[in-house]
Amino acid sequence: MSKTSELKKIKDEVVAIETELARFRIDNKYFPVIGEGSHDASIMFIGEAPGESEAKTGRPFVGRSGQFLNELLEGISIKREDVYITNIVKDRPPKNRDPQASEIEAYAPFLDRQIAIIKPKVIATLGRFSMEYIMNRYGLSFELEPISRIHGKVFDTEVLGEAVKVVPLYHPAVALYNGSTRDLLKEDFKVLKKLI
Ligand code: URA
């Protein structure tokens, strides 16, 4: 099966999933947000869950945090269409609350499959939830520390026998209201640029 058809299959499965978040999506005429970008991307960005703008359009990071993510990418001369952007949880949690452990458990297998299909060389996690999920899932639990200590660091691991670098980053939403986190994120993006 081609990468595109494998990714399409994930989309069909998310559309059909029966969770409370899916019920909330249907009741609000929202879309699930599967992910977008190059299917051959070297870098995959993983956020938390869609916000309202994302659920209304079916596209990841198109609201205010998305605008800042675009700026960060521009700052290192990487085109948004050359990376792949997704989230752990594919349906919007009500009032943008944090995803619950059971929601992460329900949706993370789709993320694992996206990683296996796209085979990025670098996984950049955005925020604490995706940092914790990815580091625990891919053999880096022993390196886990608060994001304030390990943001911008590069961790080497393997996914299905292939070398992958994991770089925890702050979530762009946090940086919107905090100038110093904004500067830290800009610096950390320079680390990404060096890796590709
Ligand atoms: N925040 C996220 O974590 N993901 C999005 O897609 C948008 C905002």
Side-chain angles (χ1 to χ4, degrees):
M1 239 203 287
S2 72
K3 286 187 174 188
T4 306
S5 30
E6 285 185 73
L7 290 164
K8 169 73 170 55
K9 189 159 180 293
I10 291 177
K11 179 173 185 173
D12 294 342
E13 289 177 37
V14 175
V15 167
I17 200 172
E18 291 182 10
T19 58
E20 280 181 27
L21 294 187
R23 169 59 40 211
F24 181 62
R25 178 224 304 151
I26 293 163
D27 290 347
N28 286 281
K29 300 195 166 51
Y30 286 152
F31 294 100
V33 178
I34 311 299
E36 70 177 18
S38 166
H39 296 172
D40 296 310
S42 324
I43 306 188
M44 185 186 263
F45 288 91
I46 303 172
E48 189 173 303
E52 191 178 23
S53 315
E54 289 76 22
K56 282 185 168 165
T57 55
R59 298 182 55 211
F61 284 96
V62 292
R64 288 193 62 209
S65 341
Q67 281 164 22
F68 184 41
L69 178 61
N70 293 347
E71 262 179 54
L72 290 162
L73 287 169
E74 273 168 32
I76 53 167
S77 307
I78 290 183
K79 294 201 189 97
R80 183 170 159 127
E81 59 266 32
D82 290 341
V83 304
Y84 194 83
I85 304 175
T86 186
N87 290 299
I88 318 181
V89 171
K90 312 301 190 192
D91 283 310
R92 179 188 180 214
K95 299 187 184 143
N96 297 349
R97 62 156 170 75
D98 287 345
Q100 293 166 357
S102 61
E103 292 164 351
I104 293 179
E105 204 180 307
Y107 289 90
F110 298 115
L111 173 64
D112 290 331
R113 281 162 61 193
Q114 289 174 304
I115 294 170
I117 295 166
I118 293 167
K119 299 186 173 61
K121 300 255 174 292
V122 179
I123 294 178
T125 58
L126 299 170
R128 181 168 64 85
F129 288 93
S130 63
M131 172 185 82
E132 286 177 1
Y133 177 73
I134 290 292
M135 291 184 71
N136 282 324
R137 175 71 180 82
Y138 295 106
L140 293 168
S141 310
F142 68 104
E143 300 274 21
L144 253 179
E145 285 190 71
I147 197 163
S148 55
R149 293 177 68 100
I150 58 172
H151 68 87
K153 287 197 181 169
V154 181
F155 297 98
D156 286 297
T157 192
E158 276 188 11
V159 177
L160 302 169
E162 302 283 340
V164 172
K165 294 188 186 298
V166 174
V167 186
L169 300 171
Y170 278 109
H171 195 289
V174 178
L176 284 179
Y177 306 102
N178 182 325
S180 55
T181 313
R182 228 181 142 81
D183 293 340
L184 288 175
L185 252 176
K186 285 184 185 162
E187 284 306 306
D188 289 349
F189 262 65
K190 294 182 190 160
V191 173
L192 291 182
K193 179 74 177 179
K194 288 202 195 112
L195 295 180
I196 53 151

